[in-house]
């Protein structure tokens, strides 16, 4: 450990402590910081389009391509999960380097080995995608409880709410008789940070689709929107009833919990497991 000493002469004075900024100055600094954040990531009043679905084989291959590129097996580029000659060669080279049979095929074992070599955990089966003005905003993995059970197809739309409100009304539609929209929400586990991010962006008219099958969601170009596949016959329209949910410690509401029966929608942000996202 080293120390730095300064010698003060008879006519010298120690430096004065920095003056505490005034309340007005502090507000100006905070306002400038907030403006900088808004400028870096502006919020749009356009509705959000949210999709929660299962990861596809193409999604898995796309992620593997990025990891193979990070390890030097592929030339970095914007991958789309398409399997071609270059990907097959990269997988063969990876298999050779890791004492695996050199088939060039993208199998479950190969995928697990790529994640292990990259020092990453295998992702959960679910994924959440967000688009706005027909462009990608963000996407992130989510977890399903009882992942082997079908999700069905459900559409949730947030109704009008005032700016600054902490509650919003949602309407839910399930496309197959016998499906329970509230039950599927209870199975979705969304990370708290992602909940908060979405709640801050939420605007009237935003919608969320929960579906087992979606097509090319990770690689949609600008100007495109989500496409889901469902063979069910149209069913009934229901409203999702929600109300503020208190934290485990008994404090102020953290989000909103779905209540059954789902009649007379009351409040909430974006649906998630057992409660909606954090208030707006």
């Amino acid at each position: 450990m080293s120390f730095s000493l300064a010698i003060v002469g008879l006519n010298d004075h120690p430096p004065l402590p920095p003056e505490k900024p005034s309340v007005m100055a502090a507000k100006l600094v905070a306002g400038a910081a907030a403006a900088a954040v808004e400028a870096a990531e502006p919020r749009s009043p356009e509705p959000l389009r949210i999709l929660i679905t299962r990861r596809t084989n193409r999604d898995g291959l796309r992620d593997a391509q990025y990891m193979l590129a990070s390890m030097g097996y592929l030339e970095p580029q914007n991958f789309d999960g398409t399997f071609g000659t270059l990907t097959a060669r990269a997988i063969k080279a990876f298999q050779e380097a890791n004492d695996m049979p050199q088939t060039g095929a993208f199998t479950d074992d190969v995928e697990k080995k790529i994640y292990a070599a990259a020092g990453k955990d295998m992702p959960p089966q679910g994924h959440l995608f967000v688009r706005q003005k027909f462009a990608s905003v963000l996407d992130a993995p989510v977890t399903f409880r009882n992942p082997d059970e079908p999700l069905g197809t459900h559409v949730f739309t947030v109704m009008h709410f005032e700016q600054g409100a902490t509650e919003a009304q949602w309407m839910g539609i399930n496309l197959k008789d016998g499906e329970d929209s509230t039950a599927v929400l209870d199975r979705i586990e969304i990370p708290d940070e992602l909940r908060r991010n979405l709640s801050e962006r939420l605007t009237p008219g935003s919608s969320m689709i929960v579906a087992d099958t979606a097509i090319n969601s990770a690689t949609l170009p600008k100007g495109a929107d989500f496409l889901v596949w469902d063979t069910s016959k149209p069913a009934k329209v229901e409203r999702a009833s929600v109300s503020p949910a208190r934290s485990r410690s008994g404090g102020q509401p953290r989000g909103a919990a779905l209540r059954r029966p789902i009649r007379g929608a009351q409040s909430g942000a974006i649906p998630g497991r057992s409660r909606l996202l954090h208030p707006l």
Side-chain angles (χ1 to χ4, degrees):
M1 182 178 295
S2 61
F3 295 89
S4 177
L5 299 177
I7 300 176
V8 181
L10 292 175
N11 296 323
D12 295 331
H13 300 280
L16 296 175
E19 183 180 355
K20 183 177 180 180
S22 66
V23 174
M24 180 60 70
K27 288 183 177 181
L28 289 174
V29 172
V37 171
E38 177 68 16
E41 190 179 5
R43 296 291 191 259
S44 170
E46 296 294 324
L48 296 181
R49 296 292 178 255
I50 304 168
L51 171 68
I52 298 177
T53 188
R54 297 182 184 277
R55 281 172 54 86
T56 64
N57 290 335
R58 184 170 180 175
D59 294 333
L61 178 56
R62 176 174 173 267
D63 291 345
Q65 288 171 327
Y66 278 107
M67 286 184 284
L68 287 171
S70 69
M71 293 184 284
Y73 294 100
L74 277 172
E75 193 71 25
Q77 57 185 283
N78 291 325
F79 297 105
D80 62 4
T82 301
F83 189 88
T85 302
L86 295 179
T87 298
R89 289 176 181 172
I91 291 176
K92 279 187 177 182
F94 175 82
Q95 290 171 326
E96 181 181 9
N98 288 271
D99 299 323
M100 301 178 70
Q102 299 173 40
T103 63
F106 183 65
T107 63
D108 290 342
D109 289 339
V110 169
E111 183 179 20
K112 292 176 182 177
K113 193 70 173 180
I114 291 174
Y115 270 92
K120 298 183 178 181
D121 295 328
M122 287 288 292
Q125 292 189 13
H127 210 85
L128 182 148
F129 300 93
V130 182
R131 295 178 73 80
Q132 194 172 38
K133 297 178 67 174
F134 300 99
S136 177
V137 175
L138 61 89
D139 67 277
V142 295
T143 302
F144 300 141
R145 295 174 60 196
N146 304 322
D148 294 332
E149 295 181 6
L151 297 171
T153 304
H154 312 264
V155 181
F156 301 88
T157 304
V158 66
M159 312 307 285
H160 177 74
F161 58 86
E162 298 297 332
Q163 184 176 4
T166 59
E167 298 179 348
Q169 188 181 61
W170 285 82
M171 180 179 71
I173 302 174
N174 51 280
L175 300 187
K176 184 177 179 181
D177 287 326
E179 290 182 341
D180 187 346
S181 295
T182 57
V184 75
L185 294 179
D186 287 342
R187 294 173 51 196
I188 301 171
E189 297 180 345
I190 302 176
D192 287 343
E193 184 177 353
L194 179 58
R195 294 171 185 261
R196 193 176 303 111
N197 190 341
L198 292 179
S199 290
E200 291 172 353
R201 295 173 179 269
L202 190 66
T203 58
S206 296
S207 64
M208 182 179 76
I209 300 174
V210 179
D212 281 298
T213 306
I215 301 175
N216 299 339
S217 302
T219 57
L220 289 176
K222 185 175 177 60
D225 209 346
F226 297 124
L227 180 62
V228 299
W229 181 265
D230 189 279
T231 58
S232 304
K233 294 181 179 180
K236 55 190 175 182
V237 176
E238 298 178 319
R239 279 191 170 189
S241 175
V242 293
S243 63
R246 295 187 175 276
S247 63
R248 294 181 180 178
S249 60
Q252 294 298 316
R254 293 176 51 203
L258 290 211
R259 298 190 175 210
R260 297 179 178 84
I262 48 178
R263 295 192 297 268
Q266 297 175 7
S267 62
I270 298 177
R273 180 193 168 191
S274 299
R275 59 182 182 273
L276 303 190
L277 293 184
H278 288 268
L280 300 174

